[in-house]
Amino acid sequence: MKKASGERTLLASVLLSSPGPLVLGAALIYGRSSTQLADFVRRTVELAAIIVSWIVFRVLHRESEPDQNRKARLEGLANTCVGAAMLISGLAMLFIALFSENREKGNVVPGLIIALLGVAVNFWFWFRYKKLSREQPNAILEVQSRLYGAKFAVDLCVAAALLFVAVLPEAPITSYMDRGGSLAVALYLIRSGSMTIRNVQAKTEAAE
């Protein structure tokens, strides 16, 4: 029953994360905020990692007695994908924040709405995954909890930056907030991604 609950939660993560990149991709036609562009890159890469985690979890829990070495390898693969997604997203955001020259921000309201919805949804998934990983210790669920904790914090930062862009588009502080939002998101994700990958490597070395 608990395994089914974990799989359903992962599937819900995939389904609820899927519209974000599509909406933000369309919004980029009208908006030029570096934070909004960085958020699009982040959500796209994270969606791919969540899909990999869901597939691996589903494969492993369809087997009544999975081989432990194979289980460890697949869990390590899924969690490395999550860590790599955070790391790649962070590096992309860092590049955009430092080198983007766009002056016209355009309409950032769609991105702001997605970020505000993300705050609520990601908080719920963060809480849900923490609860599941306590009830049924599992490497994939544990890393998903870490991912959604990062996503929750990042969406708070993105929403604050885009709110400044939407309300005070011409104010000098807005440019700093927009770029600062991207930098804060980038550094947080680089740190979280690096820690996740190092944890996977440490567990792999310990098992050998």
Side-chain angles (χ1 to χ4, degrees):
M1 183 66 180
K2 290 181 179 180
K3 291 179 180 179
S5 181
E7 185 178 329
R8 285 197 302 269
T9 302
L10 280 162
L11 179 57
S13 296
V14 172
L15 295 176
L16 290 176
S17 298
S18 297
L22 296 175
V23 173
L24 284 174
L28 285 172
I29 298 172
Y30 307 102
R32 297 293 184 271
S33 162
S34 61
T35 299
Q36 187 165 263
L37 178 57
D39 200 33
F40 167 73
V41 174
R42 172 179 73 92
R43 290 179 188 279
T44 302
V45 177
E46 286 175 354
L47 174 60
I50 294 169
I51 290 172
V52 171
S53 296
W54 170 63
I55 291 172
V56 169
F57 191 92
R58 182 180 173 84
V59 167
L60 289 177
H61 291 87
R62 283 290 180 269
E63 301 175 3
S64 57
E65 295 182 6
D67 177 81
Q68 291 304 307
N69 290 331
R70 179 170 177 268
K71 180 175 182 288
R73 285 197 305 272
L74 288 176
E75 287 180 342
L77 171 64
N79 293 339
T80 298
C81 285
V82 172
M86 289 191 280
L87 187 58
I88 292 169
S89 296
L91 291 173
M93 291 181 180
L94 187 63
F95 180 83
I96 291 166
L98 294 177
F99 300 107
S100 174
E101 296 297 332
N102 290 320
R103 302 288 182 182
E104 181 61 41
K105 303 301 182 187
N107 181 15
V108 299
V109 172
L112 176 59
I113 292 171
I114 289 292
L116 290 172
L117 290 173
V119 170
V121 171
N122 291 331
F123 176 79
W124 184 84
F125 274 117
W126 178 36
F127 177 81
R128 178 66 175 163
Y129 279 119
K130 282 179 72 69
K131 182 173 182 291
L132 285 172
S133 62
R134 283 197 302 267
E135 292 176 350
Q136 52 173 114
N138 180 279
I140 292 176
L141 298 179
E142 180 184 343
V143 171
Q144 287 297 311
S145 172
R146 194 177 306 143
L147 171 64
Y148 273 92
K151 284 164 70 66
F152 168 65
V154 166
D155 275 329
L156 280 176
C157 183
V158 169
L162 292 181
L163 185 61
F164 266 87
V165 175
V167 176
L168 301 169
E170 304 300 328
I173 192 175
T174 297
S175 179
Y176 294 105
M177 281 296 299
D178 184 36
R179 192 155 298 201
S182 293
L183 284 171
V185 168
L187 295 175
Y188 190 92
L189 284 174
I190 289 171
R191 178 179 177 276
S192 298
S194 299
M195 288 178 61
T196 299
I197 292 172
R198 283 201 299 270
N199 287 340
V200 172
Q201 291 175 338
K203 288 181 179 179
T204 301
E205 291 172 359
E208 292 178 350

